[in-house]
Amino acid sequence: MNPLAKQFLNASPNQKRAIHFKLCKHALDKWRDYAKAQGQISYRESVCGTKQFVDVDLPDDAFAAARQGRDTGSVAQRYLEPIAALQDHDLKLPEAVAYAYYAVYNLFRKYTGVAEVDDWLVVNQALSSERTELMWQKMLQEAFDAAL
């Protein structure tokens, strides 16, 4: 096991929270960059065949709600369609962007109490918003440094 991963698993709940938010801020920035470059993001929903538009501000709202510790702005409800679309492969995002999207979604779920989410899942998804292991190490080390 990677020494930083092992260190994370042994971190205090407050340190884990700080690391989660630091890493998910990076993931959120990746999402924002993608959304800005794409403009309007749409997909065809396969069950009914309707055209759907992605709420590009939803991850920002989810991050803010996670910080507040409560579901402000009906974030959980607003995530239902795009998460189903990702899982059904109706909504196709580049792999790193999809991980960024899921990282913020799971951060929201964890810190608003919507669901129990494994601590490492959030880290793993946020790190996967980058493509290289070297970058993963750098991001995790920076998150640890900021959490101490």
Side-chain angles (χ1 to χ4, degrees), residues 20 23-24 26-27 30 83 95-107 109 117-130 136 139:
H20 283 150
L23 292 175
C24 284
H26 180 87
K30 287 293 188 179
I83 291 298
E95 186 176 47
V97 174
Y99 278 120
Y101 194 83
Y102 275 117
V104 175
Y105 170 65
N106 282 314
L107 178 84
R109 293 172 69 224
V117 176
D118 181 76
D119 286 329
W120 186 251
L121 177 66
V122 176
V123 172
N124 192 38
Q125 289 174 331
L127 292 175
S128 295
S129 70
E130 288 292 343
W136 300 339
M139 287 170 58

Side-chain angles (χ1 to χ4, degrees), residues 81-95:
E81 173 55 34
I83 291 298
L86 282 168
Q87 293 171 350
D88 291 346
H89 305 290
D90 293 341
L91 173 57
K92 294 173 179 58
L93 299 172
E95 186 176 47

Side-chain angles (χ1 to χ4, degrees), residues 4-5 7-9 11 19 139-148:
L4 286 174
Q7 186 179 349
F8 173 80
L9 295 174
I19 291 165
M139 287 170 58
L140 193 51
Q141 185 63 60
E142 287 174 0
F144 266 107
D145 294 345
L148 298 179

